[in-house]
Amino acid sequence: MNSFSQDSRKQAARKLAVVCAALLAATAPGPTMTQPAPPPLAAAPPGANTFERLATGAGITSCSKALRTLGPVLTGPEGSYAVMLMANRVAPATSTFSASIEKNGPAGTTLVSAFFSPGLMGGCDVGYDTVSTWNKSCQDVAEQDFRYAQPLNVIGRNVSVLPYSATHHVYLIRMPGGCISINKEMLYP
């Protein structure tokens, strides 16, 4: 073989490699093909609580009124809670999102699990569960802490329900040495 044919082959091989790489790059899905770029983040309104600032920083803007009015009720005073959000990474402003809140108070630690769902008409549906443990009987929790004077309705053997309304129930679960309460409410502000 002469040197001319070796050079020609090397050039042809290089051109073929460049063409193959270009074809592979053109057909491979890139980040812009699989996920749109995240939207620019909005600024939290003045006076926003930590929960609101965290949601706004995650690109959640659709339920800001519900966050402003219900956030302090779900969390308690500033500095007494921690929040973790779960949100749609692609469309956080138009999708349902969830918040898990560890809330500390005089009665101990409570877990609050809440969801916020943008409504079709611009509102925001909200639901939450608070889970608390008590070192007393469920009957005492019902009477003393939830001010429920009626006899307890029992779902099964170990779970009682305090039906405050069609969208607000408290479930009491008997356990050795105490009670677990789950306060469940749906809100349509």
Side-chain angles (χ1 to χ4, degrees), residues 90-172:
V90 176
T94 58
S95 301
T96 299
F97 68 95
S98 171
S100 298
I101 304 161
E102 178 183 325
K103 181 172 152 177
N104 298 306
T109 301
T110 299
L111 171 69
V112 180
S113 177
F115 74 86
F116 296 78
S117 183
L120 297 174
M121 310 277 281
C124 186
D125 299 336
V126 179
Y128 72 90
D129 297 310
T130 59
V131 180
S132 302
T133 57
W134 306 85
N135 292 325
K136 52 186 166 182
S137 74
C138 287
Q139 186 68 45
D140 288 345
V141 170
E143 292 171 359
Q144 297 167 9
D145 298 284
F146 290 102
R147 311 282 190 260
Y148 195 79
Q150 301 174 21
L152 296 178
N153 297 321
V154 180
I155 294 176
R157 272 192 236 196
N158 295 311
V159 180
S160 302
V161 62
L162 313 178
Y164 285 107
S165 73
T167 60
H168 185 195
H169 295 170
V170 175
Y171 301 93
L172 301 175

Side-chain angles (χ1 to χ4, degrees), residues 36-104:
L41 298 179
N49 62 38
T50 303
F51 188 17
E52 242 183 311
R53 286 192 306 274
L54 182 63
T56 303
I60 298 165
T61 56
S62 56
C63 289
S64 57
K65 182 178 176 186
L67 281 168
R68 168 122 334 200
T69 57
L70 298 173
V73 175
L74 296 174
T75 61
E78 285 291 312
S80 68
Y81 64 91
V83 180
M84 186 165 78
L85 294 177
M86 290 190 306
N88 183 321
R89 292 178 59 188
V90 176
T94 58
S95 301
T96 299
F97 68 95
S98 171
S100 298
I101 304 161
E102 178 183 325
K103 181 172 152 177
N104 298 306

